[in-house]
Amino acid sequence: MERKIQLLHPTIDLLFYLVVCFSLVIAVFVSILYPNVILEQGLSHRIFYLHVPVAWVALYGPLLSFVFSLVYLFQKNLLWDRLAFTANQLAFVFAVGVLFSGPIWAYSAWGVPWDKTDARLQSFFILCLSLLSYFIFRYLVPSRKKKAILSAYLSVLCAMSAVLTWGAIRWIENPGNHPGSVLGKGGMDLDMKRTLWLGVIAYHFLFLILFLVSNRNEKLQELKHSLRAEMD
C-alpha cells in the first residue's frame, strides 16, 4: 500500500515557501539599507535586526515544546511528543544562531565578544545546555514510549530556562552590558522599529515553515521504522 506524507496541499506549500523566501530577502535588504547606523557601533549594529528576532524564536520553541509535552502526558499520543521534539530542535538551531550573531554585535558594542557578568548571556547559555541535555537523554533511551515520557519532563526544564532567559533583564539585577527589553525602549527611532518588526515577522515565518518540514521528516522517520518492523 502506498503511503504519502505531505506538508500541506502542494499549492499551499509553494505559496508558503514563496512568502518565507520573499519576507526573508526583504528583511535582510531592509536591515542593510534602510535604518540609520548607530555611530558608536558602525555597520555591525545591523546584525541587531537578525540577532533579536532569532533570539525571540529561540525562546518560543521550548515553550511550545512544553505545551505539546503536557498534552502528551495527558493523552499519551506520540503525535504530541513528535511536535515537542520538533519545537526543541528548531529552538536549538535558532539558539546556536544567537550564540554566533551575539558575539559579533557584542564585540562592536562592548569591545568584548562575551561579557561573563551579563545575566542575559549566561541564562541563554544555560538554555542551550538544557536543550543539548534534552537531545542527549532522549537518544540514550531506546524505548519509544519511555523516550517520550522522559522528553516530556525534560521539556519542562527547557521551558524554565527559556522563561529565565526572557526575564533575565527584567527580574535580575544585571551588572553586565546587555541592553534592556527592546519592547520597553520607547526611544527607538521609527526606522529601527519598522526594520525590527519586519525581521520578527520574517524569522517567525521561517520558524513556522521549518517546523512543518521538520515535523514531516519525523513522520517519515517513524514510518520508515514501522515499515521496517512490519518486514521483520
Side-chain angles (χ1 to χ4, degrees):
M1 180 177 63
E2 184 180 3
R3 304 185 188 183
K4 295 182 179 180
I5 296 180
Q6 291 183 342
L7 178 61
L8 293 170
H9 187 278
T11 303
I12 300 178
D13 283 358
L14 178 60
L15 291 176
F16 203 178
Y17 282 123
L18 291 176
V19 168
V20 172
C21 293
F22 180 76
S23 62
L24 280 175
V25 170
I26 294 299
V28 171
F29 274 96
V30 169
S31 67
I32 294 174
L33 302 175
Y34 174 58
N36 294 321
V37 176
I38 295 179
L39 296 179
E40 294 82 359
Q41 299 180 27
L43 291 176
S44 60
H45 163 259
R46 296 192 185 280
I47 203 170
F48 162 81
Y49 303 106
L50 176 145
H51 177 76
V52 173
V54 169
W56 285 7
V57 175
L59 296 181
Y60 295 153
L63 299 179
L64 286 174
S65 179
F66 171 69
V67 173
F68 294 143
S69 296
L70 284 182
V71 177
Y72 168 76
L73 290 175
F74 281 103
Q75 295 190 358
K76 294 298 188 293
N77 187 336
L78 291 176
L79 161 68
W80 299 105
D81 171 67
R82 186 175 66 244
L83 293 175
F85 176 67
T86 300
N88 274 339
Q89 273 185 318
L90 295 180
F92 184 72
V93 170
F94 279 83
V96 171
V98 173
L99 291 181
F100 274 97
S101 61
I104 298 174
W105 184 24
Y107 187 77
S108 66
W110 309 337
V112 292
W114 190 274
D115 182 0
K116 296 180 180 179
T117 67
D118 193 287
R120 169 59 67 86
L121 296 182
Q122 301 307 318
S123 61
F124 206 97
F125 183 67
I126 292 173
L127 171 62
C128 292
L129 291 180
S130 300
L131 289 168
L132 187 60
S133 300
Y134 171 91
F135 298 122
I136 292 175
F137 283 106
R138 182 180 176 90
Y139 285 112
L140 286 177
V141 179
S143 171
R144 182 67 181 87
K145 290 186 178 180
K146 291 182 179 180
K147 185 194 301 287
I149 294 175
L150 176 61
S151 298
Y153 289 112
L154 289 175
S155 291
V156 177
L157 175 63
C158 296
M160 290 175 59
S161 297
V163 173
L164 177 62
T165 302
W166 176 83
I169 58 177
R170 296 170 174 85
W171 307 330
I172 302 174
E173 184 179 353
N174 187 16
N177 294 309
H178 205 285
S181 171
V182 172
L183 293 179
K185 286 183 172 295
M188 186 183 294
D189 292 340
L190 184 60
D191 57 340
M192 295 178 64
K193 285 184 179 179
R194 289 172 175 171
T195 307
L196 172 64
W197 284 110
L198 180 61
V200 168
I201 294 172
Y203 287 102
H204 277 69
F205 276 141
L206 177 62
F207 173 82
L208 183 56
I209 194 66
L210 290 177
F211 184 90
L212 295 173
V213 171
S214 181
N215 183 55
R216 178 176 62 176
N217 180 66
E218 289 301 315
K219 287 183 182 179
L220 290 171
Q221 294 300 320
E222 291 184 1
L223 177 60
K224 182 179 70 174
H225 290 310
S226 65
L227 291 175
R228 189 174 295 171
E230 290 177 5
M231 293 177 63
D232 295 339

